[in-house]
Amino acid sequence: NLKTVKESVGDKIRLAGNADASCTLPFRSPEEVAAEVKKCIRATALGGGYILASLNTLIGGFLVENIYTDV
């Protein structure tokens, strides 16, 4: 749980990731991608130190419209 991790160690380390590269980015709608991104940001925004990411690269199976989704 990203919020739990942020609350327990978020002032000691920087967190990165949590946009689901196995299900959300390749198979969900742009609206579902935006909702997941917003959830990640809400869980980690307080105090900063969060880097929103999926992986360190883009995978061929990602839907193009999900990569460019506005939040």
Side-chain angles (χ1 to χ4, degrees), residues 20-29 33 59-63 66:
D20 184 355
S22 65
C23 187
T24 302
L25 290 171
F27 302 115
R28 303 290 185 236
S29 70
V33 171
I59 297 174
F62 287 0
L63 298 174
N66 287 347

Side-chain angles (χ1 to χ4, degrees), residues 37-68:
V37 166
K38 289 175 185 178
K39 182 179 174 184
C40 290
I41 292 170
R42 277 193 302 273
T44 59
L46 188 62
Y50 177 62
I51 303 163
L52 177 68
S54 59
L55 301 165
N56 63 353
T57 187
L58 298 176
I59 297 174
F62 287 0
L63 298 174
V64 173
E65 57 269 26
N66 287 347
I67 296 168
Y68 292 104

Side-chain angles (χ1 to χ4, degrees), residues 5-22:
V5 172
K6 172 67 176 179
E7 290 171 349
S8 64
V9 297
D11 61 335
K12 298 171 184 62
I13 63 171
R14 300 297 174 245
L15 303 173
N18 270 69
D20 184 355
S22 65

